[in-house]
Amino acid sequence: QVQLVESGGGLVQAGGSLRLSCAASGSSLSINTMGWYRQAPGKQRELVAGISRGGSTNYADSVKGRFTISRDNAKNTVFLQMNSLKADDTAVYYCNADIRTPWTIRSYDYWGQGTQVTVSS
C-alpha cells in the first residue's frame, strides 16, 4: 500500500517562510514525477511546482522566484521551500506523485492528505 505523508504546514506572517515535506511509503516503489498542488477556498486545485526523477522542475508563474521544489530519491521524499510568502499563498497544499509498484504494470497518481498553509497579512 502506498501512502504520501505531508508535514510542515502552519501559520506564518506575510514575508515569512515555510518548508513542506512529503514522504512516500511502501515497498519497492518506482517514483516518477512528484509535485505540489494547492487549493484555496472557492478555487480549483492548481499545480504549484513539479519535479521529475532526474531533477527537472517547473513552477506556476505566481510562485517563480519564491518557491523551490526539490527531492531526495533515496528517501522517496519531495520538499517545497516557500519564501516571501503572501496572503494569496494561503491554501491547502497537496503532495502528488506518479508511482509504479511491483504489482502493477503502469504507474498511478497518488495524493497526500493535504496540509494547511495560512499566511497572515
Side-chain angles (χ1 to χ4, degrees):
Q1 185 177 0
V2 177
Q3 281 190 315
L4 299 181
V5 179
E6 300 146 343
S7 60
L11 174 64
V12 65
Q13 288 188 331
S17 299
L18 283 175
R19 187 180 192 231
L20 305 183
S21 300
C22 172
S25 63
S27 301
S28 303
L29 303 180
S30 177
I31 304 177
N32 303 312
T33 302
M34 303 185 82
W36 290 93
Y37 288 72
R38 67 186 181 187
Q39 187 167 19
K43 295 187 177 181
Q44 290 188 331
R45 189 174 297 189
E46 62 175 358
L47 174 68
V48 176
I51 184 167
S52 71
R53 182 169 182 83
S56 297
T57 59
N58 63 289
Y59 296 92
D61 287 343
S62 59
V63 307
K64 283 180 181 177
R66 301 187 297 121
F67 290 10
T68 302
I69 189 170
S70 60
R71 65 189 284 173
D72 183 337
N73 289 332
K75 296 183 179 180
N76 291 340
T77 301
V78 63
F79 306 96
L80 185 68
Q81 178 65 43
M82 304 185 292
N83 298 329
S84 302
L85 283 160
K86 306 175 182 178
D88 286 348
D89 295 318
T90 295
V92 177
Y93 284 69
Y94 296 92
C95 173
N96 170 267
D98 180 52
I99 301 174
R100 184 172 61 82
T101 60
W103 52 86
T104 60
I105 295 175
R106 51 158 288 188
S107 61
Y108 292 87
D109 257 355
Y110 290 86
W111 293 88
Q113 79 283 2
T115 185
Q116 178 70 46
V117 171
T118 303
V119 184
S120 62
S121 56

